[in-house]
Amino acid sequence: MLRSSILFCLATILGATAAHADESQIERGPLPQWVQPSELMDLPENPTGAIFVRQQDTLVHLDAKGQAQYLGYRIKVLHPNALQLGNLSISWNPAGGNPVIHALKVHRDGEVIDVLKDARFEILRREDQLEAAHIDGILTAVLRVADLRVGDELEFSLTTRTDDPTLGSTSSGALVLHPEPGPGRYRLGLSWDDGQKPTVRMTPAFTAAQQAGKQALDFQFDNPPVVIAPKDAPPRYQVFRFAEYSDFADWNAVSRRFAKLYSETSQIGSSEPLMREVARIAKLDGGKLAKASAALKLVQQDVRYIYVGLNGGNLRPADASETWSLRYGDCKGKTVLLLGLLRELGIDAQAVMVNSSGNDDGLDERLPSPGMFDHVLVRAHIDGKTHYLDGTLPPVVPPSEKPLLPYRWVLPLTSDGSGLEHLDWHPAELPDSINIYEIDARQGFDEPARITSRTIIRGVAGLEQQVQLSAVSKAQMLSAFRQSLTGDTWQSIENVDWHYDEKAGASILEITGLGTVDWDDDGDGARSLALPGGGFNPPQRRVRTAEQDQSLPYYNKPEFSCHVTTVRLPADTRPEQWSHKRSFNQGMFGRNYYRAFAIEDGSLRMVRSYRVEEQEITAARAAKDNGRIADFDNSMGWIFYNPERDRPVVNRIDVPATFEIDWATDASACLSPNAA
């Protein structure tokens, strides 16, 4: 998918083949000195559920090389569904060292079985393939514990390291207790060598459970309760029980550390082939924005996306010249290449780190950590305006004053260090999707109508469609749509047109053909029809269970959709014989529901839209709107013909027909008249 393989540095993992491990890859050894074994929790008299966790330890230790992680557990299998615990899988980066297995045992009726006496792990070797989008060197080993039975207790413990040459002894991370743990005992811990003590911040649950030592923090939870996310709360309220740690003094320190990397790797030597590209772009007509657009398209089009995480490359970008010579790179490599081109073109630009998963709400309340980001792109200052340039996107995406995704926070990478910057959110001015449907019924009620269906899609969904359809021939596309759509509505499909409008930033698909119109016979010559996309389902009540915080705000995921339908009326009817359901303009829960009709020039027009206008509303506002749901108009978009009707047409709102405007560039009719 585009979201995983193009937008982000984190991409699809390569295929794998199995090979038996040897002692040089997976070691066996005693517990590290910094691991103190924990006591087993006593079994309850009548344990219920699939498992009981006698003990589970998740410990992190910080030293001059980086950090080591210890995982150890002893779990009793109580149900056949839990036998899958015997399918073990471990992953590690060989650059940080080999994993060390301390124990793999089965406890059965007083007997202790050493599983590794007769079994060994198999390593999955990552291999570079033509379709590869991810090269990180991570190894995964698997082992299936034979003869595991209900009633057995499985004991397993290992230590792995995640040393990163880019960060060295500078560490950051978090200990997290799962919101829905099984019954049992859980211990999480953080320890450090002399001089490696980090800043620690924790949630109240961890504060209550902490036991502080001289160079360690332990947190023990016995039968921790299940924690359910507060319903419909903003994302920052979805994180419950954790203790985070960081060696970075502030976000400025993160910015400075990575700014140096991007400055070093984005240098372009005067004799390099890249300078020929710089010279070519510099001769193009237009100002700096045109040149920046050309540089961006070069990176998007001529350098394919592959995530490269080998040899510390998960954080350190490859050199610009190396990325250009290989003609592939990840978001880091593409960013430094673009930075180098822009610098030589005299355009002020910097790298900015972002979180593309949507988990950046509340980022300003977290400890500074590069792990909070998963993507990097370029921000340029051109002619007094800020433009975002993302080299991982398809070459149809030019520089834009707003990022493609609605990032809440960005971290500019500057030599002096920069703090987090908040990006304001505003309701969308253009719909994410417009569904346009035209029914040409001028031949009469009982004749097939010529139907034109057009969809206009923006954002990530539009780019995913662009990636998919740009590789399909017109004949293939026509054949596929005829196969899938011909049936109840479409009698025949005559033509399918698709293109991506770069100016509008939209993927546009149009289907034309003949179809059946499902007119209802209302008797005495009267007819009626429910227009596609004409109605709304009532919004759901926004309430939470009694144990959840009732004061938290409610969240609306940004969305703006529009449906436009035009019916060219049968030629033997008159406008005054036609009517329709009422128009409405309703605001509720921070969303606007809008519908308008008009009858003009032999056609009946409808536009219906839904737009989120506030990302968050207060609990008091939600309670008030809950009381208004009963009055919500959820009527379908019915239109009516009555040969006996003879009333003049009064249009209170101007509604354009599907064929009167270019909806890709002018969608103002989708906005309600009082839209902000």
Side-chain angles (χ1 to χ4, degrees), residues 31 69-72 90-91 99-103 156-160:
L31 293 177
Q69 292 84 30
Y70 169 83
L71 172 65
I90 60 175
S91 297
V100 179
I101 306 294
H102 309 299
F156 179 56
S157 59
L158 84 159
T159 300
T160 57

Side-chain angles (χ1 to χ4, degrees), residues 444-465:
F445 291 109
D446 300 321
E447 297 295 325
R450 182 163 297 281
I451 297 175
T452 300
S453 173
R454 190 183 317 130
T455 58
I456 301 172
I457 306 176
R458 291 184 171 83
V460 172
L463 291 178
E464 288 177 338
Q465 189 176 76

Side-chain angles (χ1 to χ4, degrees), residues 163 447 469 524:
D163 304 335
E447 297 295 325
L469 297 184
D524 298 326

Side-chain angles (χ1 to χ4, degrees), residues 3-150:
R3 182 175 288 271
S4 63
S5 64
I6 296 179
L7 285 178
F8 306 152
C9 282
L10 305 179
T12 307
I13 296 177
L14 304 180
T17 58
H20 286 294
D22 57 46
E23 291 300 322
S24 66
Q25 294 170 305
I26 298 180
E27 303 174 6
R28 296 195 66 178
L31 293 177
Q33 292 183 351
W34 47 270
V35 174
Q36 298 299 321
S38 62
E39 296 181 0
L40 298 178
M41 191 174 185
D42 292 336
L43 281 167
E45 291 185 6
N46 297 299
T48 60
I51 63 170
F52 183 81
V53 180
R54 294 286 299 275
Q55 62 89 16
Q56 178 173 303
D57 295 338
T58 304
L59 311 175
V60 174
H61 183 75
L62 312 180
D63 57 29
K65 295 181 179 180
Q67 54 184 308
Q69 292 84 30
Y70 169 83
L71 172 65
Y73 58 77
R74 182 165 165 176
I75 299 176
K76 187 174 183 64
V77 178
L78 301 175
H79 191 278
N81 289 349
L83 291 173
Q84 62 183 341
L85 287 173
N87 301 329
L88 300 177
S89 174
I90 60 175
S91 297
W92 75 97
N93 188 336
N98 297 326
V100 179
I101 306 294
H102 309 299
L104 178 51
K105 303 174 182 178
V106 172
H107 299 261
R108 178 185 300 152
D109 299 328
E111 179 186 5
V112 180
I113 303 169
D114 185 351
V115 175
L116 293 179
K117 181 179 180 181
D118 299 313
R120 52 180 174 166
F121 280 88
E122 289 181 326
I123 292 184
L124 305 180
R125 301 185 185 278
R126 308 301 186 191
E127 295 183 351
D128 190 5
Q129 301 174 355
L130 291 177
E131 71 276 13
H134 194 119
I135 306 174
D136 59 7
I138 298 296
L139 295 179
T140 299
V142 296
L143 183 148
R144 291 161 290 279
V145 178
D147 193 31
L148 188 66
R149 308 173 190 177
V150 173

